[in-house]
Amino acid sequence: MGRPVVHFEIIGTDPARLRGYYGELFGWDFDTSGPVSDQVSEPGGYGFVETDGIPGGVGGGAGYESHVVFYVGVPDVAAALAEAERLGGTRRMGPDRAPGRDLVVAHFTDPEGNLIGLAGPA
């Protein structure tokens, strides 16, 4: 079995508006009290959501490029990011440790330009 998808994000320039939109559309409740990397979202602007499937978050802020990304769980984010680059991907962010958590995240684009996230233990 391959590596699992462990998290998704929806990022935009007006995270409160996005949380309102997705909250009403899908019945999601957001928790904005948790820390998140400032490379992902403005402090206090990221809302974690638990779904019946994959957990996620909606955040961003002024200066954050709008995008949707899913994170694949890996045992070593730096090694997986290096392998993604070796295979023709391009590093976009990280590895970066999430503040206050034993979690490391990174982003890369695949050879077609699709944004993909990696997440693993610190």
Side-chain angles (χ1 to χ4, degrees):
M1 175 169 269
R3 301 278 179 214
V5 173
V6 296
H7 189 78
F8 71 88
E9 286 177 341
I10 303 168
I11 302 297
T13 59
D14 188 345
R17 181 173 172 228
L18 284 174
R19 285 191 303 276
Y21 176 82
Y22 286 105
E24 189 168 335
L25 181 63
F26 297 132
W28 291 351
D29 293 315
F30 296 95
D31 176 3
T32 58
S33 66
V36 68
S37 169
D38 63 1
Q39 292 189 50
V40 172
S41 181
E42 290 177 342
Y46 190 91
F48 289 92
V49 60
E50 291 295 328
T51 69
D52 288 338
I54 299 167
V58 176
Y64 289 82
E65 182 181 330
S66 296
H67 64 273
V68 174
V69 62
F70 65 87
Y71 287 81
V72 177
V74 296
D76 183 331
V77 171
L81 189 57
E83 183 67 1
E85 290 178 298
R86 186 187 75 75
L87 294 170
T90 303
R91 180 186 308 244
R92 296 282 305 270
M93 180 194 89
D96 188 44
R97 186 174 181 155
R101 301 179 67 197
D102 291 329
L103 176 70
V104 174
V105 295
H107 290 170
F108 69 93
T109 51
D110 68 17
E112 294 286 333
N114 297 298
L115 185 65
I116 309 297
L118 300 168

